[in-house]
Amino acid sequence: MNTYITTKIGFVLLVLLTLGACETDFDNPNAATDEQVFSSREGILAAAAGMQQQYSTTGLRFIVETPAVTTREAGITTTFQNMIELEDGGTPLPNFNSNVQGLWSNLLRIISVSENIENNVASIPLEAGTQSGLLAHAKLFKALAIGGMAMNYEQVVLETNNDNNAAFVTRDGAFDAALGFLSEAKAAIMATPPSEEFTNVVTLGNIDLLNTINAMLARYNLIRGNYDAAIANASEVDQASTSTFVYDTQNLNPVWNRVFLNDAPNFKPRDNFGLPTELALDAADGRIAFYLVPLEETNQNGLPIEDLAGFFNVNTGPIPAYIPDEMNLIIAEAHLRKGTPDIAAAIEAINLVRTDTDDPLGVNAALADYSGDTSVAALLDEVYINRRAELFLSGLSLEDSRRFGRPEPSGEIKNFEEERNRNFYPYPDLERNSNPNTPEDPAI
C-alpha cells in the first residue's frame, strides 16, 4: 500500500473516532470528510479501508463483548462499572452504560462512512471494478452495521441524519433493509467483478466479498423467517473459503485486547459456553478445546469461568467474519422452521457440523452423527447447542437466545441463574438526548 493511501487511512480513522455517537453529530467533521476524503480516488479507497478497520477493531469489540456478558457466554473479571452493569443486567441497566452506548455509536459510524462512499463513488474517476468493489463493500458493511444494531436493540435507525430526527424502524424493517443492501452489493459485483486495485488496497485478499455477502444474506434471511431464501443463500457459500479480519501491532485483535492485554482481563469465557446443564456439550466435542482452556475458578459473582483460546488468544490473530459451518446450521434450522419441516435435510446438515474434521478455520467438533430424538423441538435444541459452540463470541448469542425461545429474563438485577438477563438494550442517552424520535426503552 502506498504511503499516501496509508496516511489517508489514518485520517479517515481519526474522523471516525471524532464523529459523535448519534446520527446528528456530524456538522464540521462531515464537511471536512466530504471535501478531503470522499472527493478523490485515494481518499475514497482509504475511507473504505478505514471503515473496515473501524468495524473490525472498535466495532467488533462491542459486537462480541456486550451480548456475550448478557447471555452468559462470558463472565466479568473486572471492577469496571460498565461490565458490572452488564452482568447484573435486569431492568435497571442504565442508558449511559458505555457498552450500550459504544455498540450503538460505533455501528452508526460505520453507517455514516458507508453512506459517504455510496454517495460519492460514482463521481470519482475509477476503474469499473474498483467502483463496483467499493460500492458492494460499503453496502456490505452498512448491512452488517444495521444487522448488528437490530440484533441488540428493539428498533434502530437506517441512516444518519443532520437534522436530529432520524426515523426508527422495527427489527423486521431493519433486516429487510439490510437484505436489500446485500442484494444490491451482490448484484454490483456479479455485474462487474472487483478490480485488483480494490482488493489490494481495501480487503487485501482477506475478505471474500461474494461469499461474505451470501453468508450475511443467509444469516439475515434466517432471522427474518425467509427460510427458503436462507437455505438458498447458505448453499451458495463456498465453505472451503474464509473471510477474516486481520490485525497488526497497531490494530490489535479487539477480543484479545479485552481479555489478555496487560494481564488484566475484563471478562473470561464461561464453562460449557454458558449453556445450562441440560444443554451440555459432549465432553469429546473438539470445539471445547478449540475455544476454552480449563480453569478451576469462578468470577466475583460465583460464575464458573475458563481461559480463552480459539481466535482470541494471540494479539494479532485474525477473527472470522463468519464461520463456514454457520451455513450448515442455518440450513438445518431453516428446514426445521419451515411450514413443513424437513427432518432428514436438517439432520444431514447437523451431521456436517458434528462430524467436521477439516474446517478451514480449525473449528472441528469431530463427533459422531446425531443419534438422539428426531422431533423438531429436540433437533432445534441440537442446532442451538451447536450454534453456541461453533459460533462462540461471534455476537450472535443474544439473537439466538431469543429466537430459540430460551427462558425469558425476569428483569431482576443480579439474577445470575438466568440464561440471559435482557431481551434488548435500552437506547443510549446520547441518542435520546438529540433525537426526539427515540422510542421508549424496552421493558427488559
Side-chain angles (χ1 to χ4, degrees):
M1 186 183 299
N2 67 49
T3 302
Y4 183 63
I5 291 180
T6 302
T7 302
K8 280 281 190 178
I9 292 174
F11 176 76
V12 171
L13 288 174
L14 177 62
V15 170
L16 279 166
L17 292 171
T18 56
L19 286 176
C22 73
E23 68 280 8
T24 60
D25 240 347
F26 299 126
D27 297 337
N28 291 334
N30 243 10
T33 301
D34 289 341
E35 180 180 351
Q36 298 179 38
V37 176
F38 295 101
S39 60
S40 69
R41 168 191 164 276
E42 294 85 358
I44 203 164
L45 285 165
M51 175 183 65
Q52 181 174 303
Q53 187 173 325
Q54 171 76 10
Y55 180 90
S56 67
T57 52
T58 311
L60 206 57
R61 171 217 156 165
F62 290 106
I63 289 168
V64 168
E65 173 182 288
T66 309
V69 176
T70 297
T71 61
R72 313 308 190 194
E73 280 187 301
I76 66 168
T77 51
T78 181
T79 57
F80 288 129
Q81 190 62 28
N82 63 310
M83 301 298 282
I84 291 172
E85 291 166 351
L86 275 182
E87 186 155 281
D88 287 351
T91 303
L93 181 65
N95 305 71
F96 54 79
N97 176 275
S98 62
N99 276 72
V100 169
Q101 298 204 44
L103 180 59
W104 181 271
S105 63
N106 275 280
L107 293 180
L108 268 182
R109 288 171 181 144
I110 300 303
I111 292 173
S112 175
V113 179
S114 70
E115 288 172 343
N116 276 309
I117 294 170
E118 288 181 80
N119 292 338
N120 288 279
V121 68
S123 64
I124 299 171
L126 293 164
E127 184 181 341
T130 301
Q131 186 176 97
S132 68
L134 284 168
L135 187 62
H137 185 261
K139 289 179 181 291
L140 167 62
F141 277 85
K142 188 174 186 178
L144 284 169
I146 291 170
M149 294 173 76
M151 288 191 285
N152 291 286
Y153 300 93
E154 205 168 34
Q155 298 184 50
V156 304
V157 298
L158 301 180
E159 57 187 16
T160 59
N161 183 284
N162 290 331
D163 297 321
N164 295 355
N165 62 0
F168 278 72
V169 301
T170 64
R171 280 168 26 88
D172 283 352
F175 286 119
D176 286 343
L179 287 165
F181 291 129
L182 290 166
S183 295
E184 291 167 4
K186 183 175 180 177
I189 59 173
M190 293 300 288
T192 308
S195 66
E196 287 188 15
E197 176 184 48
F198 166 80
T199 300
N200 292 339
V201 175
V202 179
T203 65
L204 304 178
N206 298 310
I207 300 291
D208 183 321
L209 207 53
L210 180 58
N211 276 309
T212 305
I213 290 167
N214 280 327
M216 295 308 115
L217 282 167
R219 178 183 291 179
Y220 296 151
N221 269 313
L222 175 71
I223 294 171
R224 189 64 180 87
N226 303 326
Y227 300 127
D228 288 331
I231 292 167
N233 294 139
S235 299
E236 287 187 85
V237 176
D238 178 0
Q239 293 189 30
S241 175
T242 62
S243 287
T244 58
F245 299 117
V246 297
Y247 303 96
D248 56 35
T249 55
Q250 299 301 310
N251 301 281
L252 298 174
N253 179 308
V255 180
W256 180 92
N257 216 9
R258 298 290 289 169
V259 176
F260 294 99
L261 183 66
N262 297 327
D263 197 28
N266 288 273
F267 66 89
K268 289 192 175 187
R270 289 284 308 278
D271 286 13
N272 196 43
F273 302 103
L275 289 168
T277 303
E278 64 269 22
L279 298 180
L281 274 73
D282 186 321
D285 194 317
R287 295 167 297 190
I288 298 173
F290 180 82
Y291 282 116
L292 306 177
V293 178
L295 181 68
E296 299 300 322
E297 292 184 11
T298 59
N299 77 345
Q300 56 259 50
N301 290 316
L303 303 176
I305 54 175
E306 309 276 27
D307 276 329
L308 183 60
F311 306 109
F312 313 113
N313 59 350
V314 177
N315 64 346
T316 58
I319 295 178
Y322 64 91
I323 304 291
D325 264 331
E326 180 185 352
M327 300 306 107
N328 292 320
L329 292 169
I330 287 171
I331 290 169
E333 183 181 344
H335 276 302
L336 292 169
R337 294 193 188 278
K338 290 195 303 184
T340 303
D342 188 334
I343 300 296
I347 292 174
E348 180 182 2
I350 288 169
N351 285 337
L352 289 174
V353 180
R354 286 179 56 92
T355 63
D356 199 356
T357 58
D358 60 355
D359 180 82
L361 294 169
V363 188
N364 294 307
L367 295 170
D369 283 346
Y370 179 77
S371 60
D373 185 344
T374 58
S375 67
V376 169
L379 289 168
L380 283 172
D381 281 348
E382 178 69 14
V383 171
Y384 181 64
I385 293 168
N386 277 276
R387 286 185 65 88
R388 192 72 168 224
E390 191 80 18
L391 313 179
F392 186 56
L393 295 184
S394 62
L396 296 170
S397 60
L398 183 55
E399 178 65 42
D400 284 359
S401 182
R402 291 191 309 265
R403 192 173 69 258
F404 281 85
R406 301 307 303 167
E408 286 282 321
S410 65
E412 299 173 1
I413 193 171
K414 298 184 179 181
N415 186 341
F416 301 121
E417 299 301 314
E418 295 184 315
E419 289 187 37
R420 66 176 186 269
N421 62 30
R422 294 280 310 188
N423 282 331
F424 296 98
Y425 297 114
Y427 301 102
D429 277 350
L430 48 81
E431 184 71 32
R432 185 173 301 287
N433 292 340
S434 63
N435 184 355
N437 295 323
T438 306
E440 293 298 314
D441 289 332
I444 181 63

